[in-house]
Amino acid sequence: MYFIKEMPIFERPREKLISEGVEILSNTELLAIILRTGSRDKSVIELAKDVLYRLENISDLKKLTLEELLKVNGIKVAKATSIIAAIELGKRLEKASYHTEVIESAKDIYYKMKFLENENQENFYCMFLNTRLAIIKYELIYKGTVDQMVIHPRDIFIKAIKANASYIILVHNHPTGNANPSKADKITTKALTEVSEIINIEILDHIIIGKNQFYSFKEAKIFNL
């Protein structure tokens, strides 16, 4: 079994973190610190690479399951649970930061949800905001096929009420990369806007995310958003 301490000093991730700062470390080195040791046949760096090579990009780390990690040669329960715990902590810190962030423009929403550019299916999210337009939380409402999504107002407004939200922002992606709204997008937005007027929880905008582009219903002045 290979330990990080057996590596040359200048290659040790922990020592690099202490002397040069955590920002300097690669994704592989960060994961190696979490793993702590290698396996019988691989160094800890090689083991970290084996995990990351299974991902298309670093954002896919959030989707890893315990079962998937255990399929990696050299990853046992202890290492797998350490990775899952670190990922979950990162998710919670990310969500907690939203409570103090105020939405000022459609571009703010685009940059916060830009990770949707890499999804192969349409994902429909809702951002729930308080009276100061600070994000209470954001939540995946529906994950559909590439060419079809079905959104029911009940699914959104029940969650908004539970979150004590004053405002809602709708966000979804187009896997094609083109952010222009489809006919279905317009129908869905119109229906949700009509319900929001009855329930008195205002929909501020509907953002569609494409590849390096976005579309804002509010900026386009559709449905009086």
Side-chain angles (χ1 to χ4, degrees):
M1 182 178 291
Y2 295 86
F3 291 85
I4 288 180
K5 66 181 180 181
E6 294 174 347
M7 299 170 61
I9 292 177
F10 64 89
E11 290 184 0
R12 297 179 191 174
R14 189 177 293 112
E15 279 70 15
K16 286 177 66 175
L17 185 155
I18 294 169
S19 62
E20 302 180 54
V22 68
E23 296 84 2
I24 200 70
L25 299 184
S26 67
N27 294 331
T28 300
E29 290 169 325
L30 290 170
L31 184 56
I33 290 177
I34 294 171
L35 291 172
R36 294 184 63 248
T37 63
S39 66
R40 188 169 298 173
D41 304 316
K42 301 174 186 175
S43 71
V44 69
I45 292 293
E46 291 172 327
L47 196 55
K49 286 179 179 179
D50 282 353
V51 174
L52 294 177
Y53 284 167
R54 289 174 167 259
L55 313 176
E56 290 187 12
N57 53 67
I58 191 61
S59 65
D60 288 342
L61 199 60
K62 293 181 180 180
K63 305 174 188 176
L64 277 180
T65 65
L66 186 66
E67 291 73 22
E68 289 170 334
L69 283 169
L70 291 173
K71 292 178 182 177
V72 179
N73 185 27
I75 298 290
K76 303 300 182 184
V77 173
K79 293 184 186 299
T81 52
S82 293
I83 294 173
I84 293 296
I87 293 170
E88 179 60 26
L89 184 59
K91 289 179 182 178
R92 294 184 187 188
L93 287 170
E94 182 182 26
K95 288 181 179 179
S97 69
Y98 277 82
H99 289 277
T100 58
E101 293 183 277
V102 175
I103 295 296
E104 296 181 351
S105 68
K107 188 172 289 187
D108 286 345
I109 304 163
Y110 169 63
Y111 283 120
K112 291 181 192 303
M113 304 298 288
K114 203 171 186 296
F115 65 89
L116 287 173
E117 288 185 354
N118 301 312
E119 293 291 336
N120 295 322
Q121 288 184 305
E122 288 196 9
N123 291 257
F124 194 101
Y125 277 82
C126 279
M127 282 187 173
F128 301 113
L129 287 71
N130 63 22
T131 54
R132 297 187 304 106
L133 301 185
I135 299 173
I136 300 170
K137 68 175 183 175
Y138 70 98
E139 189 169 344
L140 177 64
I141 303 298
Y142 186 82
K143 190 178 184 74
T145 61
V146 170
D147 58 358
Q148 182 181 9
M149 288 204 319
V150 180
I151 305 298
H152 197 288
R154 177 186 62 247
D155 299 328
I156 293 173
F157 290 101
I158 286 178
K159 293 179 184 295
I161 292 168
K162 286 182 178 179
N164 198 28
S166 297
Y167 302 100
I168 298 171
I169 295 174
L170 312 173
V171 187
H172 84 279
N173 65 302
H174 280 177
T176 60
N178 186 339
N180 289 323
S182 65
K183 182 179 179 180
D185 293 334
K186 293 178 180 179
I187 292 172
T188 298
T189 306
K190 186 174 188 297
L192 292 174
T193 302
E194 290 173 350
V195 175
S196 75
E197 292 173 354
I198 296 171
I199 296 179
N200 199 29
I201 300 178
E202 184 180 352
I203 292 178
L204 295 180
D205 203 348
H206 184 174
I207 303 296
I208 302 174
I209 295 179
K211 193 67 175 177
N212 297 317
Q213 60 180 280
F214 70 93
Y215 181 94
S216 164
F217 275 74
K218 183 174 184 178
E219 291 183 353
K221 298 181 179 179
I222 299 181
F223 307 130
N224 296 318
L225 291 178

